[in-house]
Amino acid sequence: MAVLPLRTLGDPVLRTPAQEVPALDARIVQLVEDMYQTMDAAGGIGLAAPQIGVGLRIFTFDAAGSRGAVINPELSLTGPIGPTPREPSRPAEGENLLREGCLSVDGVYSPVDRSQTVVLTGTTPEGAAVHVEAAGLLAACFQHEVDHLDGRLFIDRLTGEDRRHAMRALREPSAGGKGPQRRAAGAGPESRHDAGSGSSFFAGPRT
């Protein structure tokens, strides 16, 4: 297993829709193991293959007590659209919404309108069928990762003041828009404590 460099905002691979995995083999199994290692080293709750420069439809996740990898995922949005509520067991002063962030976009966190429930299907690296009904944090994590596979970043979904705030943050010298297009997975503050069980994804953690 290996911890791989993360691609960051400005790298074309993040804007290129990923290709379906044509067949499961030892190379895919090894890639998934490397993705787990990279996600864990970054303190993330999710990681999509394009974030390590691989244009295949694969993501790993470790959120809300669930951990796994999905090959060629399909997502059905089954709930109302709106910001994801923060889990009651994870209160924060003055906040009741999760703020998404991203391992590939440093320094930006914001609530994002997402379907509150989803159904995820696909296959595991071993070829078993995946069928998961998810809500809350896990549903948002799945949507965030599938967006990556479609060449979309969470900042693309922001509107109004949230988008203006994100654009201002990206103009800061330390933000992802000014940094290198690759960085070590362990670089930066990758706390998972606000995300429940973990993607470098919300209010500190991100995917």
Side-chain angles (χ1 to χ4, degrees), residues 26-103:
R27 291 173 298 177
I28 296 300
V29 172
Q30 182 60 59
L31 173 62
V32 169
E33 290 301 319
D34 291 344
M35 289 176 65
Y36 277 130
Q37 188 86 352
T38 303
M39 178 182 71
D40 292 343
I45 65 168
L47 184 73
Q51 292 181 275
I52 55 169
V54 178
L56 293 175
R57 296 188 72 81
I58 305 171
F59 74 82
T60 57
F61 64 94
D62 185 357
S66 296
R67 181 178 174 92
V70 187
I71 312 297
N72 296 334
E74 297 288 342
L75 202 59
S76 298
L77 308 183
T78 57
I81 304 297
T84 304
R86 185 182 292 274
E87 295 178 357
S89 62
R90 296 280 174 176
E93 292 185 17
E95 289 193 45
N96 59 4
L97 299 176
L98 289 168
R99 295 186 297 128
E100 288 191 31
C102 182
L103 290 171

Side-chain angles (χ1 to χ4, degrees), residues 14-207:
L14 297 175
R15 295 301 193 178
T16 304
Q19 300 297 308
E20 295 241 335
V21 176
L24 300 178
D25 55 28
R27 291 173 298 177
I28 296 300
V29 172
Q30 182 60 59
L31 173 62
V32 169
E33 290 301 319
D34 291 344
M35 289 176 65
Y36 277 130
Q37 188 86 352
T38 303
M39 178 182 71
D40 292 343
I45 65 168
L47 184 73
Q51 292 181 275
I52 55 169
V54 178
L56 293 175
R57 296 188 72 81
I58 305 171
F59 74 82
T60 57
F61 64 94
D62 185 357
S66 296
R67 181 178 174 92
V70 187
I71 312 297
N72 296 334
E74 297 288 342
L75 202 59
S76 298
L77 308 183
T78 57
I81 304 297
T84 304
R86 185 182 292 274
E87 295 178 357
S89 62
R90 296 280 174 176
E93 292 185 17
E95 289 193 45
N96 59 4
L97 299 176
L98 289 168
R99 295 186 297 128
E100 288 191 31
C102 182
L103 290 171
S104 296
V105 184
D106 284 341
V108 180
Y109 301 91
S110 180
V112 180
D113 286 342
R114 300 283 192 189
S115 178
Q116 299 303 293
T117 59
V118 302
V119 176
L120 176 73
T121 58
T123 60
T124 68
E126 296 75 31
V130 171
H131 182 100
V132 180
E133 298 179 10
L137 171 65
L138 189 58
C141 177
F142 289 165
Q143 290 170 84
H144 184 111
E145 301 309 325
V146 170
D147 273 354
H148 273 301
L149 302 182
D150 293 337
R152 191 172 192 178
L153 300 174
F154 86 99
I155 55 176
D156 300 334
R157 292 188 175 276
L158 303 182
T159 60
E161 184 56 34
D162 288 336
R163 183 168 181 82
R164 287 190 287 273
H165 183 271
M167 295 304 104
R168 285 195 297 270
L170 288 173
R171 287 193 291 270
E172 294 295 322
S174 61
K178 299 292 185 179
Q181 293 186 352
R182 303 186 189 188
R183 67 178 178 84
E190 301 292 346
S191 165
R192 295 158 57 102
H193 66 281
D194 281 332
S197 140
S199 162
S200 131
F201 184 73
F202 296 100
R206 298 168 294 182
T207 56

